[in-house]
């Protein structure tokens, strides 16, 4: 029996960071006729947040730790899933494993992007989907008695294997390779490929076709999630709602089979209509929508068609129907200036997203953007995570300012769960969201706040202090108490929803008015609502 380990180092410990790629390859090796009987396959995953790995300072120490864990299993072959965040660690780890004559096969996005540069680090590199190529390669390695295969032998394993027939794959959930309960949730792969070609995405150079996993497999996985009472599922289908009929049918099934599971979808705003929005309200779920920039010219440069009017209209439908959604923005896109990036924040925040995720552009090898970087005037880091350094319109100083806005937004808006009242406060202060985040960042620096802390009670106290400071600065202290009550009330409700625990809060204004349309306009509120202190239980 050949002992094989499929492994990866995950970016964090969360249901979203489940080792699905490594599990799919492990599952394929288990079922491939040429390896099925010859191999014993084990999936072992690590996370950068593991208590043993987190305190380790250098990549070398982390690599040594992972190698020691793998060596205990006495494998003959190790298959590594390589990403931007684990590339260096796995290269170091492989060199340690080589001393024990272990054969290393590496695949994943980093290898796919530039297989040639890894030839000295790993014995075999596999680009693209690994479920067909890796089992064939292992079969050949076993037949050769572990001798290094010649180039043509390797290539023969890869012939006709670049796009796997999804109907032939076995589900790693259904065959027990991976247990989603261990991770507190599941990544649910419904499709591969994308009809769009955004330049910064790995899909930019892929085929435009979307391949769907068979309905039968999807149904069985859904049943499994129900049986195992999986609390949350992240749907892997970059344009889930592009095919309305299919999306609606699956939402119905989800509502019937797993009514208590929370689902996260990636969606395209242009395909949203009332019927689809209503279908999303029938299950506990949140949509994440890529806006990336509010500037149509910038988006054109990265091959993302964008119709601002339609975007506003369709997001309005989500708000009307009460669908929870978040928006994504990217700074450093070609043609984006710091001013237009700030406009993007103002535009996005005006649409009431539940969360606003702001990322730095990564110019990933293997993407169309990487190929066109020079022509577009982009300079970026040569090593992972390939973040942008500057562009023709975005200086390194702009990047630092954008980073601080992103940090302020994450702390104050996302982790601070500020969506119910954020625009009301901005309106009263006559300030725009980006200016607000800028002032908050400066204030946080002066007051030495730890913006990495995400304990909601602490954030809430800081939100209240900052808003009191702003109202005082603008001689609008008459709004401070009402704003404080609105923040406390909504904060307590969000904690109650998240934890299920009741909480007592002291309010100065009556809760029935705080929880009403009156609270959307602070000036109207303080002129019309009389203080009436009380302590209430949420
Ligand atoms: S970013 Fe999303 S929509 Fe664009 S090509 Fe990639 S997967 Fe498709």
């Amino acid at each position: 029996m050949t002992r094989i380990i499929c492994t990866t180092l995950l970016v964090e410990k969360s249901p979203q960071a489940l080792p699905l790629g490594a599990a799919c390859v492990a599952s394929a090796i288990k079922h491939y006729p040429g390896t099925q009987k010859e191999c014993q396959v084990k999936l072992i995953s690590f996370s950068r947040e593991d208590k043993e790995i987190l305190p380790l300072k250098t990549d070398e120490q982390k690599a040594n730790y992972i190698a020691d864990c793998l060596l205990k299993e006495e494998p003959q072959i190790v298959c590594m899933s390589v990403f931007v965040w684990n590339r260096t660690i796995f290269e170091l780890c492989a060199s340690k494993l080589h001393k024990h004559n272990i054969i290393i096969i590496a695949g994943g996005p980093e290898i796919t992007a530039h297989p040639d540069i890894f030839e000295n680090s790993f014995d075999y590199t596999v680009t693209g989907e690994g479920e067909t190529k890796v089992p064939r390669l292992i079969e050949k390695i076993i037949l050769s008695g572990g001798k290094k295969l010649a180039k043509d032998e390797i290539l023969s394993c890869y012939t006709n294997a670049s796009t796997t027939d999804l109907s032939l794959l076995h589900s790693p959930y259904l065959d027990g390779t991976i247990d989603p309960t261990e991770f507190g949730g599941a990544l649910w792969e419904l499709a591969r490929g994308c009809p769009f070609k955004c330049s910064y995405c790995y899909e930019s150079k892929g085929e435009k076709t979307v391949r769907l996993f068979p309905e039968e497999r999807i149904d069985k996985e859904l049943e499994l999630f129900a049986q195992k009472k999986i609390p949350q599922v992240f749907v892997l289908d970059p344009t889930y709602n592009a095919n309305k009929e299919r999306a609606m049918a699956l939402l119905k099934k989800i509502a019937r089979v797993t009514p208590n599971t929370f689902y996260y979808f990636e969606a395209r705003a242009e395909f949203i209509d009332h019927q689809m929005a209503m279908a999303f309200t029938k299950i506990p779920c949140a949509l994440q929508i890529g806006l990336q920039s509010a500037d149509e010219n910038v988006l054109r440069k990265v091959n993302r068609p964008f119709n601002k009017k339609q975007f506003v209209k369709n997001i309005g439908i989500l708000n009307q129907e009460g669908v929870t959604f978040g928006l994504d923005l990217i700074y450093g896109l070609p043609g984006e200036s710091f001013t237009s990036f700030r406009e993007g924040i103002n535009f996005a925040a005006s649409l009431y997203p539940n969360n606003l995720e702001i990322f730095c552009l990564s110019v990933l090898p293997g993407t169309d953007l990487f190929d066109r970087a020079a022509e577009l005037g982009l300079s970026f880091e040569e090593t992972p995570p390939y973040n942008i350094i500057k562009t023709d319109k975005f200086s390194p100083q702009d990047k630092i300012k954008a980073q601080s806005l992103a940090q302020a937004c994450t702390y104050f808006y996302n982790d601070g769960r500020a969506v119910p009242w954020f625009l009301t406060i901005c309106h009263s202060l006559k300030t725009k969201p980006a200016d607000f985040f800028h002032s908050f960042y400066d204030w946080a620096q002066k007051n030495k706040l730890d913006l990495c802390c995400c304990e909601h009670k602490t954030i809430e106290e800081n939100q209240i202090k900052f808003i009191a400071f702003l109202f005082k600065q603008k001689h609008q202290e008459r709004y401070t108490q009402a704003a404080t009550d609105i923040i406390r009330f909504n904060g307590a409700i969000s904690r109650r929803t998240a934890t299920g625990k009741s909480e007592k809060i002291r309010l100065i204004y009556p809760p029935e008015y705080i929880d009403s349309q009156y609270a959307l306009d602070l000036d109207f509120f303080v002129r019309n609502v009389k203080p009436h202190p009380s302590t209430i239980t949420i």
Side-chain angles (χ1 to χ4, degrees):
M1 273 282 176
T2 304
R3 276 186 301 281
I4 300 172
I5 296 177
C6 292
T7 189
T8 194
L9 172 69
L10 303 164
V11 71
E12 60 184 10
K13 248 192 153 142
S14 80
Q16 224 171 335
L18 176 139
L20 188 63
C24 287
V25 171
S27 181
I29 301 167
K30 279 185 193 172
H31 296 280
Y32 182 64
T35 49
Q36 203 172 32
K37 295 203 179 91
E38 316 297 326
C39 306
Q40 204 178 55
V41 193
K42 200 166 178 183
L43 172 72
I44 301 181
S45 65
F46 302 88
S47 148
R48 294 197 307 192
E49 292 179 348
D50 283 348
K51 63 179 189 321
E52 298 83 2
I53 294 181
L54 199 59
L56 302 176
K57 296 253 168 350
T58 65
D59 285 348
E60 179 105 39
Q61 288 170 329
K62 290 174 193 173
N64 285 342
Y65 170 77
I66 293 171
D68 288 343
C69 293
L70 297 177
L71 284 170
K72 281 187 198 139
E73 301 289 329
E74 301 181 356
Q76 277 96 40
I77 300 175
V78 171
C79 304
M80 295 176 168
S81 263
V82 184
F83 294 87
V84 279
W85 60 83
N86 65 25
R87 169 187 156 171
T88 320
I89 295 170
F90 272 152
E91 283 182 291
L92 293 164
C93 181
S95 94
K96 182 154 186 192
L97 296 180
H98 276 146
K99 290 183 188 141
H100 297 262
N101 297 322
I102 294 168
I103 297 167
I104 314 288
I105 301 173
E110 267 298 280
I111 306 293
T112 303
H114 29 211
D116 302 342
I117 67 166
F118 291 107
E119 269 176 5
N120 295 330
S121 308
F122 307 109
D123 299 290
Y124 301 97
T125 50
V126 176
T127 56
E129 294 172 6
E131 289 114 324
T132 309
K133 295 175 186 173
V134 176
R136 284 189 194 168
L137 191 60
I138 291 176
E139 181 187 29
K140 277 247 158 82
I141 293 169
I142 295 171
L143 288 173
S144 76
K147 280 199 207 100
K148 177 86 185 174
L149 299 179
K151 270 226 160 95
D152 59 332
E153 286 180 289
I154 301 171
L155 284 176
S156 72
C157 302
Y158 300 165
T159 314
N160 301 328
S162 43
T163 43
T164 319
D165 178 352
L166 301 188
S167 67
L168 301 178
L169 296 183
H170 292 262
S171 158
Y173 294 119
L174 298 176
D175 70 9
T177 301
I178 191 163
D179 181 357
T181 49
E182 267 179 43
F183 295 86
L187 286 180
W188 196 21
E189 208 180 7
L190 302 181
R192 285 188 189 169
C194 178
F196 298 96
K197 294 210 155 278
C198 310
S199 299
Y200 48 79
C201 172
Y202 286 122
E203 295 290 345
S204 59
K205 288 167 82 181
E207 287 176 32
K208 252 189 161 182
T209 48
V210 178
R211 289 169 295 144
L212 304 178
F213 278 93
E215 210 178 322
E216 196 191 340
R217 165 175 163 155
I218 288 172
D219 289 351
K220 282 187 185 153
E221 287 178 332
L222 193 59
E223 294 288 347
L224 181 88
F225 298 157
Q227 265 170 33
K228 289 187 172 271
K229 297 191 171 50
I230 300 301
Q232 48 187 329
V233 171
F234 294 83
V235 176
L236 295 183
D237 184 344
T239 52
Y240 175 75
N241 59 336
N243 179 337
K244 185 174 172 185
E245 205 183 317
R246 172 175 159 262
M248 301 275 288
L250 191 55
L251 284 172
K252 262 193 193 156
K253 262 186 214 165
I254 290 172
R256 184 168 42 79
V257 183
T258 55
N260 299 318
T261 300
F262 198 96
Y263 283 80
Y264 295 89
F265 295 94
E266 289 172 82
R268 293 283 300 205
E270 56 265 53
F271 302 125
I272 289 163
D273 60 15
H274 277 284
Q275 213 187 0
M276 171 97 45
M278 273 170 68
F280 278 117
T281 64
K282 304 286 184 250
I283 62 167
C285 75
L287 312 188
Q288 196 64 25
I289 295 168
L291 167 63
Q292 321 310 13
S293 166
D295 186 324
E296 292 174 30
N297 293 325
V298 169
L299 290 172
R300 201 168 300 122
K301 282 190 170 42
V302 289
N303 206 17
R304 268 184 84 90
F306 179 60
N307 179 332
K308 205 168 188 174
K309 248 188 179 169
Q310 193 193 23
F311 192 90
V312 172
K313 180 175 160 258
N314 291 1
I315 296 293
I317 294 174
L318 292 181
N319 278 321
Q320 278 166 32
E321 299 295 344
V323 181
T324 303
F325 69 92
L327 295 175
D328 295 337
L329 281 176
I330 299 178
Y331 57 86
L333 286 168
E336 185 97 280
S337 64
F338 184 62
T339 309
S340 67
F341 165 66
R342 285 170 70 103
E343 280 311 309
I345 294 183
N346 294 337
F347 173 71
S350 75
L351 301 172
Y352 291 91
N354 192 55
N355 56 300
L356 181 52
E357 308 295 338
I358 303 177
F359 304 97
C360 176
L361 177 68
S362 287
V363 184
L364 298 169
T367 61
D368 170 55
L369 196 65
F370 184 88
D371 295 348
R372 294 193 295 127
E375 165 203 331
L376 292 167
L378 310 179
S379 16
F380 56 95
E381 297 163 355
E382 279 174 17
T383 51
Y386 310 107
N387 280 344
I388 201 83
I389 297 170
K390 67 180 174 81
T391 75
D392 292 348
K393 292 203 162 179
F394 206 78
S395 68
Q397 289 72 30
D398 290 337
K399 184 180 159 184
I400 294 169
K401 288 190 279 178
Q403 275 166 336
S404 47
L405 284 184
Q407 214 183 347
C409 173
T410 302
Y411 182 91
F412 195 97
Y413 192 85
N414 299 349
D415 296 342
R417 303 171 199 169
V419 61
W421 46 262
F422 180 72
L423 289 178
T424 302
I425 304 266
C426 284
H427 179 74
S428 308
L429 288 160
K430 295 191 176 45
T431 189
K432 291 188 172 170
D435 296 330
F436 184 98
F437 293 136
H438 180 97
S439 314
F440 176 70
Y441 187 83
D442 284 351
W443 180 83
Q445 293 303 299
K446 271 186 205 121
N447 289 280
K448 297 191 171 41
L449 290 198
D450 172 13
L451 294 185
C452 294
C453 157
C454 47
E455 207 269 313
H456 185 252
K457 260 295 204 174
T458 311
I459 298 175
E460 185 181 284
E461 285 316 308
N462 289 325
Q463 286 170 328
I464 290 169
K465 279 186 205 157
F466 175 61
I467 279 161
F469 161 78
L470 285 184
F471 281 137
K472 189 166 181 211
Q473 202 182 43
K474 296 211 169 184
H475 308 291
Q476 291 178 316
E477 286 99 328
R478 63 190 180 284
Y479 297 144
T480 306
Q481 188 55 58
T484 302
D485 276 15
I486 291 167
I487 294 170
R488 278 205 205 294
F489 181 80
N490 283 290
I493 287 179
S494 78
R495 286 191 295 277
R496 171 72 175 83
T497 310
T499 65
K501 284 187 198 147
S502 304
E503 198 175 306
K504 276 194 174 142
I505 53 167
R506 174 99 180 131
L507 298 171
I508 303 305
Y509 286 95
E512 60 271 30
Y513 289 108
I514 294 171
D515 189 25
S516 76
Q517 297 282 317
Y518 283 25
L520 295 177
D521 181 340
L522 278 188
D523 190 57
F524 182 85
F525 189 95
V526 296
R527 280 192 288 108
N528 292 285
V529 180
K530 297 236 164 341
H532 185 80
S534 63
T535 299
I536 63 160
T537 302
I538 299 283

